[in-house]
Amino acid sequence: MAIQRFAVEEARRAGLDRSEDFLALSEMATNAQLIETLFLKEIKEKTKLKERAVHVRHIVLRVKDFRIDKGKTRPLSPAELEQERNATMARAGEIIARLEKGESFEELAKKYSEDSSKKKGGDIGFIVEDMMPPEYSRVAFSLKKGSYSKDPVFARGAVYIIMAVDDKLLSERNIEKLIKDKMQVSR
């Protein structure tokens, strides 16, 4: 800190604090501080978070979009991709049929899901509408507590079976209690 103070004094003696570049940078820094202050005062303090959130479990089945041919990866043709998507949708339909017979969503997620949530029985926690693709959110937010999608949902190269575990209204008071993942809270 002492070195910084010494450097500032030397810069002032040399007249650097009166140069056009310094004055322009100083004005930009001042403007940035004013904008930050305005944001904190007008937006953050006056805006109240109230957003519907759904606690979701899902089973994810990836649609493979490539084939390994003679040791090389090649993308699928549109017809092959459609065939792969249909096969994945059929697999999802079989899982839904098992759910209809009373099998546990959690156990089926652990067995069949192809994402990291499988370890937790497909539990991804609470989501707000814009966190997921629109096709996914539309279904998740239409489900009643404890119900699952009767039809598979295709979004962003994967097929999903979605279950609504719970439904809450998020606010500043409960967001950190409901959403355990700090990265998710900040989003």
Side-chain angles (χ1 to χ4, degrees), residues 37-51:
T37 303
L38 178 68
F39 171 78
L40 290 173
K41 183 172 176 39
E42 294 297 320
I43 298 172
K44 198 171 181 183
E45 290 176 6
K46 291 183 179 178
T47 303
K48 299 294 180 205
L49 170 68
K50 283 193 173 139
E51 189 164 358

Side-chain angles (χ1 to χ4, degrees), residues 161-178:
I161 304 165
I162 304 166
M163 178 181 195
V165 176
D166 202 357
D167 191 333
K168 298 276 186 195
L169 189 62
L170 285 183
S171 68
E172 290 91 356
R173 290 179 171 218
N174 69 1
I175 191 167
E176 290 187 18
K177 181 179 156 198
L178 294 177

Side-chain angles (χ1 to χ4, degrees), residues 151-165:
D151 295 310
V153 176
F154 178 76
R156 291 191 187 156
V159 174
Y160 298 88
I161 304 165
I162 304 166
M163 178 181 195
V165 176

Side-chain angles (χ1 to χ4, degrees), residues 40-66:
L40 290 173
K41 183 172 176 39
E42 294 297 320
I43 298 172
K44 198 171 181 183
E45 290 176 6
K46 291 183 179 178
T47 303
K48 299 294 180 205
L49 170 68
K50 283 193 173 139
E51 189 164 358
R52 184 171 171 228
V54 177
H55 183 173
V56 173
R57 284 186 188 275
H58 65 202
I59 299 171
V60 181
L61 304 173
R62 303 263 181 236
V63 176
K64 191 166 77 173
D65 62 353
F66 65 92

Side-chain angles (χ1 to χ4, degrees), residues 54-60 105-110 113 115-127 136 161 163-166 178-181 184:
V54 177
H55 183 173
V56 173
R57 284 186 188 275
H58 65 202
I59 299 171
V60 181
F105 194 100
E106 188 174 346
E107 292 306 314
L108 290 171
K110 286 178 181 178
S113 194
D115 77 333
S116 61
S117 73
K118 78 184 289 171
K119 296 172 189 166
K120 297 186 287 182
D123 190 344
I124 63 168
F126 280 91
I127 63 166
Y136 185 107
I161 304 165
M163 178 181 195
V165 176
D166 202 357
L178 294 177
I179 301 177
K180 306 293 185 221
D181 182 348
Q184 203 174 1

Side-chain angles (χ1 to χ4, degrees), residues 86-104:
N86 290 340
T88 306
M89 293 288 270
R91 278 187 22 233
E94 292 167 8
I95 294 169
I96 291 171
R98 292 176 70 176
L99 288 167
E100 303 243 338
K101 290 180 182 173
E103 289 193 48
S104 161

Side-chain angles (χ1 to χ4, degrees), residues 22-37:
F22 177 82
L23 293 173
L25 287 173
S26 177
E27 186 177 338
M28 285 172 43
T30 301
N31 289 343
Q33 284 295 317
L34 287 171
I35 290 168
E36 178 75 16
T37 303

